[in-house]
Coordinates of all heavy atoms in Angstrom, one line a residue:
L1625 N -113.9 158.6 -61.7 CA -113.3 157.3 -61.7 C -114.3 156.3 -61.3 O -114.9 156.4 -60.2 CB -112.1 157.3 -60.7 CG -110.7 157.7 -61.2 CD1 -110.8 159.2 -61.7 CD2 -109.7 157.6 -60.1
A1626 N -114.7 155.4 -62.2 CA -115.7 154.4 -61.9 C -115.1 153.1 -61.5 O -114.4 152.5 -62.2 CB -116.6 154.2 -63.1
K1627 N -115.2 152.8 -60.2 CA -114.5 151.6 -59.6 C -115.6 150.8 -58.9 O -116.3 151.3 -58.0 CB -113.5 152.1 -58.6 CG -112.3 152.8 -59.1 CD -111.3 153.1 -58.0 CE -110.2 154.0 -58.5 NZ -109.2 154.2 -57.5
Y1628 N -115.6 149.5 -59.2 CA -116.5 148.6 -58.5 C -115.8 147.6 -57.6 O -116.4 147.0 -56.7 CB -117.4 147.8 -59.5 CG -118.5 148.6 -60.2 CD1 -118.2 149.4 -61.3 CD2 -119.8 148.7 -59.6 CE1 -119.2 150.2 -61.9 CE2 -120.8 149.4 -60.3 CZ -120.5 150.2 -61.4 OH -121.4 150.9 -62.0
G1629 N -114.5 147.5 -57.8 CA -113.7 146.5 -57.0 C -113.4 145.2 -57.7 O -114.1 144.8 -58.7
I1630 N -112.3 144.6 -57.3 CA -111.8 143.4 -57.9 C -112.9 142.3 -57.7 O -113.3 142.0 -56.6 CB -110.5 143.0 -57.3 CG1 -109.4 144.1 -57.6 CG2 -110.0 141.6 -57.8 CD1 -108.1 143.9 -56.9
G1631 N -113.3 141.7 -58.8 CA -114.2 140.5 -58.7 C -115.7 140.9 -58.6 O -116.6 140.1 -58.6
A1632 N -116.0 142.2 -58.5 CA -117.4 142.7 -58.4 C -118.1 142.5 -59.7 O -117.5 142.4 -60.8 CB -117.4 144.2 -58.0
T1633 N -119.4 142.4 -59.7 CA -120.2 142.2 -60.9 C -120.0 143.3 -61.9 O -120.1 143.2 -63.1 CB -121.7 142.0 -60.7 OG1 -122.2 142.9 -59.8 CG2 -122.1 140.6 -60.2
G1634 N -119.8 144.5 -61.3 CA -119.7 145.7 -62.1 C -118.2 145.9 -62.6 O -117.9 146.9 -63.3
E1635 N -117.3 145.0 -62.3 CA -115.9 145.2 -62.6 C -115.7 145.5 -64.1 O -114.8 146.2 -64.5 CB -115.1 144.0 -62.2 CG -113.6 144.3 -62.2 CD -112.7 143.1 -61.8 OE1 -113.2 142.0 -61.7 OE2 -111.5 143.3 -61.5
S1636 N -116.5 144.8 -64.9 CA -116.3 145.0 -66.4 C -116.9 146.4 -66.9 O -116.8 146.7 -68.1 CB -117.0 143.9 -67.1 OG -118.4 143.8 -66.6
T1637 N -117.5 147.1 -66.0 CA -118.0 148.4 -66.4 C -117.4 149.6 -65.6 O -118.1 150.5 -65.2 CB -119.6 148.4 -66.2 OG1 -119.9 148.3 -64.8 CG2 -120.3 147.3 -66.9
Q1638 N -116.1 149.5 -65.5 CA -115.3 150.6 -64.8 C -114.7 151.5 -65.9 O -114.8 151.2 -67.1 CB -114.2 150.0 -63.9 CG -114.8 149.0 -62.9 CD -113.7 148.4 -62.0 OE1 -113.6 148.5 -60.9 NE2 -112.8 147.6 -62.7
G1639 N -114.0 152.5 -65.4 CA -113.3 153.4 -66.3 C -112.9 154.7 -65.6 O -113.1 154.8 -64.4
A1640 N -112.2 155.6 -66.4 CA -111.8 156.8 -65.8 C -111.6 157.9 -66.9 O -111.0 157.5 -68.0 CB -110.4 156.6 -65.1
G1641 N -112.1 159.1 -66.7 CA -112.0 160.1 -67.7 C -112.8 161.3 -67.4 O -113.6 161.3 -66.5
S1642 N -112.6 162.3 -68.2 CA -113.3 163.6 -68.0 C -113.7 164.2 -69.4 O -112.9 164.3 -70.3 CB -112.4 164.5 -67.2 OG -113.0 165.8 -67.2
C1643 N -114.9 164.8 -69.4 CA -115.2 165.7 -70.6 C -115.5 167.1 -70.0 O -116.1 167.2 -69.0 CB -116.6 165.2 -71.2 SG -116.4 163.9 -72.3
A1644 N -114.9 168.0 -70.7 CA -115.1 169.4 -70.2 C -115.8 170.2 -71.4 O -115.5 169.9 -72.6 CB -113.7 170.1 -69.9
M1645 N -116.6 171.1 -71.0 CA -117.4 171.9 -72.0 C -117.5 173.3 -71.7 O -117.6 173.7 -70.5 CB -118.8 171.3 -72.2 CG -118.9 169.9 -72.8 SD -120.4 169.0 -72.4 CE -120.0 168.3 -70.8
L1646 N -117.4 174.2 -72.7 CA -117.6 175.6 -72.5 C -119.0 176.0 -72.9 O -119.3 175.7 -74.1 CB -116.5 176.4 -73.3 CG -116.4 177.8 -72.9 CD1 -115.9 178.0 -71.5 CD2 -115.4 178.5 -73.9
I1647 N -119.8 176.5 -72.0 CA -121.2 176.9 -72.3 C -121.3 178.4 -72.4 O -120.9 179.1 -71.5 CB -122.1 176.4 -71.2 CG1 -121.9 174.9 -70.9 CG2 -123.6 176.7 -71.5 CD1 -122.2 173.9 -71.9
K1648 N -121.8 178.8 -73.6 CA -121.9 180.3 -73.8 C -123.0 180.6 -74.8 O -123.5 179.6 -75.4 CB -120.6 180.9 -74.1 CG -120.0 180.4 -75.4 CD -118.6 181.0 -75.6 CE -118.5 182.4 -76.2 NZ -119.0 182.5 -77.6
K1649 N -123.3 181.8 -75.0 CA -124.3 182.2 -76.1 C -123.6 182.1 -77.4 O -122.3 182.1 -77.5 CB -124.9 183.6 -75.8 CG -123.9 184.7 -76.2 CD -124.7 186.0 -76.1 CE -123.7 187.1 -76.6 NZ -124.1 188.5 -76.4
D1650 N -124.4 182.0 -78.5 CA -123.9 181.8 -79.9 C -122.7 180.8 -79.9 O -121.6 181.1 -80.4 CB -123.4 183.2 -80.4 CG -124.5 184.2 -80.4 OD1 -125.7 183.8 -80.6 OD2 -124.3 185.4 -80.2
P1651 N -123.0 179.6 -79.5 CA -121.9 178.6 -79.4 C -121.5 178.1 -80.8 O -122.2 178.2 -81.8 CB -122.6 177.4 -78.7 CG -124.1 177.6 -79.1 CD -124.3 179.0 -79.2
S1652 N -120.2 177.6 -80.9 CA -119.7 177.2 -82.1 C -119.9 175.7 -82.5 O -119.6 175.3 -83.6 CB -118.2 177.3 -82.1 OG -117.8 178.7 -81.9
I1653 N -120.4 174.9 -81.5 CA -120.6 173.5 -81.8 C -122.1 173.1 -81.9 O -122.6 172.7 -82.9 CB -119.9 172.6 -80.8 CG1 -118.4 172.8 -80.8 CG2 -120.3 171.1 -81.0 CD1 -117.6 171.9 -79.9
L1654 N -122.8 173.4 -80.8 CA -124.3 173.1 -80.8 C -125.1 173.9 -79.8 O -124.6 174.5 -78.9 CB -124.5 171.6 -80.5 CG -123.9 171.0 -79.1 CD1 -124.8 171.3 -77.9 CD2 -123.7 169.5 -79.3
I1655 N -126.4 174.0 -80.2 CA -127.3 174.7 -79.3 C -128.0 173.8 -78.4 O -128.5 172.7 -78.9 CB -128.3 175.5 -80.2 CG1 -127.6 176.5 -81.1 CG2 -129.4 176.1 -79.4 CD1 -128.4 176.9 -82.3
L1656 N -128.2 174.2 -77.1 CA -129.0 173.4 -76.2 C -130.4 173.9 -76.4 O -130.7 175.0 -76.0 CB -128.5 173.6 -74.8 CG -127.1 173.2 -74.4 CD1 -126.6 173.9 -73.2 CD2 -127.1 171.7 -74.2
N1657 N -131.3 173.0 -76.9 CA -132.7 173.5 -77.1 C -133.5 173.5 -75.8 O -133.1 172.9 -74.8 CB -133.4 172.5 -78.1 CG -132.7 172.6 -79.5 OD1 -132.3 173.7 -79.9 ND2 -132.5 171.5 -80.1
D1658 N -134.6 174.3 -75.8 CA -135.4 174.4 -74.6 C -136.5 173.4 -74.6 O -137.7 173.7 -74.7 CB -136.0 175.8 -74.6 CG -134.9 176.9 -74.4 OD1 -134.0 176.7 -73.7 OD2 -135.1 177.9 -75.1
D1659 N -136.1 172.1 -74.5 CA -137.1 171.1 -74.6 C -136.8 169.9 -73.5 O -137.0 168.8 -73.8 CB -137.2 170.5 -76.0 CG -135.9 169.9 -76.5 OD1 -134.8 170.0 -75.8 OD2 -135.8 169.4 -77.6
N1660 N -136.3 170.4 -72.4 CA -135.9 169.3 -71.4 C -137.1 168.7 -70.7 O -138.0 169.4 -70.2 CB -135.0 170.0 -70.3 CG -133.8 170.7 -71.0 OD1 -134.1 171.6 -71.8 ND2 -132.6 170.4 -70.6
V1661 N -137.1 167.4 -70.6 CA -138.1 166.7 -69.7 C -137.3 165.8 -68.8 O -136.4 165.1 -69.2 CB -139.0 165.8 -70.6 CG1 -139.9 165.0 -69.7 CG2 -139.9 166.7 -71.5
Y1662 N -137.6 165.9 -67.5 CA -136.8 165.1 -66.5 C -137.7 164.3 -65.6 O -138.9 164.6 -65.6 CB -135.9 166.0 -65.7 CG -136.3 167.5 -65.6 CD1 -137.3 167.9 -64.8 CD2 -135.7 168.4 -66.5 CE1 -137.7 169.3 -64.8 CE2 -136.1 169.8 -66.5 CZ -137.1 170.2 -65.6 OH -137.5 171.5 -65.6
Q1663 N -137.1 163.4 -65.0 CA -137.9 162.5 -64.1 C -137.1 162.1 -62.9 O -135.9 161.8 -63.0 CB -138.3 161.2 -64.9 CG -139.1 160.3 -64.1 CD -139.6 159.0 -64.9 OE1 -140.1 158.1 -64.2 NE2 -139.5 159.0 -66.2
T1664 N -137.7 162.0 -61.7 CA -137.0 161.6 -60.5 C -137.8 160.4 -59.9 O -139.1 160.4 -59.9 CB -136.9 162.7 -59.5 OG1 -136.1 163.7 -60.0 CG2 -136.4 162.2 -58.2
R1665 N -137.1 159.3 -59.5 CA -137.8 158.2 -58.8 C -136.9 157.8 -57.7 O -135.6 157.6 -57.9 CB -138.3 157.1 -59.7 CG -137.3 156.7 -60.8 CD -137.8 155.5 -61.5 NE -138.8 155.8 -62.6 CZ -139.2 155.0 -63.6 NH1 -138.7 153.7 -63.6 NH2 -140.0 155.3 -64.5
D1666 N -137.4 157.5 -56.5 CA -136.6 157.2 -55.4 C -136.4 155.7 -55.4 O -137.2 154.9 -54.9 CB -137.4 157.6 -54.1 CG -136.6 157.4 -52.8 OD1 -135.4 156.9 -52.9 OD2 -137.1 157.6 -51.7
I1667 N -135.2 155.3 -55.9 CA -134.9 153.8 -56.0 C -133.5 153.6 -55.5 O -132.7 154.5 -55.5 CB -135.1 153.3 -57.4 CG1 -134.3 154.2 -58.4 CG2 -136.5 153.2 -57.8 CD1 -134.1 153.6 -59.8
M1668 N -133.2 152.4 -55.1 CA -131.8 152.0 -54.7 C -131.3 151.0 -55.8 O -131.2 149.8 -55.6 CB -131.8 151.4 -53.3 CG -132.3 152.3 -52.2 SD -131.4 153.9 -52.1 CE -130.1 153.5 -51.0
D1669 N -130.8 151.6 -56.9 CA -130.2 150.7 -57.9 C -128.7 150.8 -57.9 O -128.0 149.8 -58.3 CB -130.8 151.1 -59.3 CG -130.5 152.5 -59.7 OD1 -130.4 153.4 -58.8 OD2 -130.4 152.8 -60.9
F1670 N -128.2 151.9 -57.4 CA -126.7 152.1 -57.4 C -126.5 153.2 -56.4 O -127.1 154.3 -56.6 CB -126.2 152.5 -58.8 CG -124.8 153.0 -58.8 CD1 -123.8 152.2 -59.4 CD2 -124.5 154.3 -58.5 CE1 -122.5 152.7 -59.5 CE2 -123.2 154.8 -58.6 CZ -122.2 154.0 -59.1
W1671 N -125.7 153.0 -55.3 CA -125.5 154.1 -54.4 C -124.2 153.9 -53.7 O -123.7 152.7 -53.7 CB -126.7 154.2 -53.4 CG -126.8 153.1 -52.4 CD1 -126.4 153.0 -51.1 CD2 -127.3 151.8 -52.7 NE1 -126.7 151.8 -50.6 CE2 -127.3 151.0 -51.5 CE3 -127.9 151.1 -53.9 CZ2 -127.7 149.7 -51.4 CZ3 -128.3 149.8 -53.8 CH2 -128.2 149.1 -52.6
R1672 N -123.6 154.9 -53.1 CA -122.3 154.7 -52.4 C -122.3 155.5 -51.1 O -122.1 156.7 -51.1 CB -121.2 155.2 -53.4 CG -119.8 154.8 -52.8 CD -118.8 154.8 -53.9 NE -118.5 156.1 -54.5 CZ -117.7 157.0 -54.0 NH1 -117.0 156.7 -52.9 NH2 -117.5 158.2 -54.6
P1673 N -122.5 154.8 -50.0 CA -122.6 155.5 -48.7 C -121.2 156.2 -48.5 O -120.2 155.8 -49.0 CB -122.8 154.4 -47.7 CG -123.4 153.3 -48.5 CD -122.8 153.4 -49.9
N1674 N -121.2 157.2 -47.6 CA -119.9 158.0 -47.4 C -118.8 157.1 -46.9 O -117.6 157.4 -47.1 CB -120.2 159.0 -46.3 CG -121.0 160.2 -46.9 OD1 -121.1 160.3 -48.1 ND2 -121.5 161.0 -46.0
Y1675 N -119.1 156.0 -46.3 CA -118.0 155.1 -45.8 C -117.5 154.1 -46.8 O -116.7 153.3 -46.5 CB -118.5 154.4 -44.5 CG -119.8 153.8 -44.6 CD1 -120.0 152.5 -45.2 CD2 -121.0 154.4 -44.1 CE1 -121.3 152.0 -45.4 CE2 -122.2 153.8 -44.2 CZ -122.4 152.6 -44.8 OH -123.6 152.1 -45.0
S1676 N -118.1 154.1 -48.0 CA -117.8 153.0 -49.0 C -116.9 153.6 -50.1 O -117.1 154.6 -50.7 CB -119.0 152.5 -49.6 OG -119.8 151.8 -48.8
D1677 N -115.8 152.8 -50.4 CA -115.0 153.1 -51.6 C -115.7 152.7 -52.8 O -115.5 153.3 -53.9 CB -113.6 152.4 -51.5 CG -112.7 153.0 -50.4 OD1 -112.9 154.1 -50.1 OD2 -111.8 152.2 -50.0
F1678 N -116.5 151.7 -52.7 CA -117.2 151.1 -53.9 C -118.7 151.3 -53.8 O -119.2 151.2 -52.7 CB -116.8 149.7 -54.1 CG -115.3 149.4 -54.2 CD1 -114.7 148.5 -53.4 CD2 -114.5 150.1 -55.1 CE1 -113.3 148.3 -53.5 CE2 -113.2 150.0 -55.2 CZ -112.5 149.1 -54.4
P1679 N -119.4 151.4 -55.0 CA -120.8 151.5 -54.9 C -121.5 150.1 -54.5 O -120.9 149.1 -54.8 CB -121.2 151.9 -56.3 CG -120.1 151.4 -57.2 CD -118.8 151.4 -56.3
H1680 N -122.7 150.3 -54.0 CA -123.5 149.1 -53.8 C -124.4 149.2 -55.1 O -124.9 150.3 -55.5 CB -124.4 149.2 -52.6 CG -123.6 149.1 -51.3 ND1 -123.5 147.9 -50.6 CD2 -122.9 150.0 -50.7 CE1 -122.7 148.1 -49.6 NE2 -122.3 149.4 -49.6

Side-chain angles (χ1 to χ4, degrees):
L1625 271 60
K1627 295 185 189 184
Y1628 286 85
I1630 296 170
T1633 45
E1635 191 181 17
S1636 50
T1637 63
Q1638 303 177 118
S1642 169
C1643 279
M1645 290 159 275
L1646 194 64
I1647 308 294
K1648 62 187 277 292
K1649 76 168 184 193
D1650 301 328
S1652 301
I1653 298 179
L1654 57 80
I1655 297 160
L1656 296 159
N1657 296 319
D1658 294 319
D1659 58 357
N1660 309 53
V1661 172
Y1662 20 81
Q1663 181 176 168
T1664 294
R1665 42 175 83 167
D1666 183 4
I1667 52 168
M1668 298 304 272
D1669 59 332
F1670 168 107
W1671 68 104
R1672 189 159 66 86
N1674 285 346
Y1675 47 79
S1676 292
D1677 287 338
F1678 303 126
H1680 294 262

